Amino acid sequence: MQGETGKRSAWVVAVDGPAGAGKSTVARLVASRLGLLYLDTGAMYRALALKALATGTDVADALRLVELLQEADIHVGEDPNRQLRVWLDGQDVTDAIRRPEVHATVAQVASVPGVRAGMVDRQRALAELGGVVMDGRDIGTYVLPNAPFKFFLTASLEARAARRHRELAARGFSVDPGVLRQEIVARDRMDSTRAVAPLQCAPDAQVIDTTELSVSQVVDQILAVVRGR
Ligand code: CDP
């Protein structure tokens, strides 16, 4: 890392893509290898969706969701053991935001323009602090359009559903694979068709199809581009 230190503040890496393409796993490792901050923007939307569920808020009530965001204290960061954690109003919700009911409601929460505006302000403020790897749906197109490095990760629906199934199984949730596929298709459709900052590949993003690639192969491809090799 020695010779790379001077360039770090200019290292703004945007990683976008549909559900289950491997963005967060890859982006976290890239950030760690480059010594950069990592921000999982999906976790921020998930935390708000969790707050809506926990407070019995109607997720169709856009105004109430915006108020809920203003009241929410959402923090995404590392614990003392350098594990990524998400806190909502002082509570560790790292595991709770991966529950199936959050998967099922988050896209609707994230489609509210006022919610997005509040989240994007927070995301841009974090990027002002220096080099960052940020993953989400609209990072290269909307949140950080001037990012010098943009990647769009994709994978077949089969591969993405299988990954999500394994992830949920590891957390003790057994979800029918067919239901999971439908949920992914529905969420991608909602994310791609919403009016504000939909899921899109930025014209200057490098597309990586991860269907047949291991996590380390994807990480290495990204590092090779960022390091200029
Ligand atoms: O892990 P997975 O790719 O399934 O989802 P995520 O990155 O945790 O994002 C969860 C949801 O948050 C997405 O389906 C979007 O509805 C929303 N999201 C968004 O709208 N914009 C972002 N920058 C990140 C996530």
Side-chain angles (χ1 to χ4, degrees), residues 19 23 41 45-46 107 110 116 137-138 164 187 191 194:
K23 299 175 303 293
T41 62
Y45 291 97
R46 284 171 181 277
R116 301 203 70 78
R137 301 291 187 286
D138 57 344
R164 188 46 40 92
R187 190 147 59 93
D191 287 342
R194 68 176 170 233

Side-chain angles (χ1 to χ4, degrees), residues 64-161:
R64 182 67 199 120
L65 286 174
V66 175
E67 283 171 6
L68 212 58
L69 176 60
Q70 282 157 1
E71 293 159 14
D73 176 18
I74 296 172
H75 179 64
V76 182
E78 288 184 349
D79 67 14
N81 299 322
R82 306 218 56 200
Q83 295 300 305
L84 282 170
R85 316 243 40 120
V86 183
W87 291 273
L88 170 65
D89 301 330
Q91 299 247 23
D92 185 339
V93 293
T94 311
D95 291 327
I97 61 165
R98 306 284 158 194
R99 283 190 204 136
E101 60 269 32
V102 176
H103 281 281
T105 45
V106 61
Q108 187 167 4
V109 171
S111 71
V112 174
V115 165
R116 301 203 70 78
M119 293 292 191
V120 170
D121 282 350
R122 295 171 190 209
Q123 292 156 8
R124 287 185 181 148
L126 278 164
E128 289 286 307
L129 301 175
V132 66
V133 181
M134 212 179 270
D135 84 292
R137 301 291 187 286
D138 57 344
I139 310 304
T141 52
Y142 187 74
V143 181
L144 305 172
N146 298 323
F149 302 105
K150 298 181 185 178
F151 299 90
F152 192 86
L153 304 193
T154 61
S156 69
L157 176 60
E158 293 309 321
R160 295 188 291 122

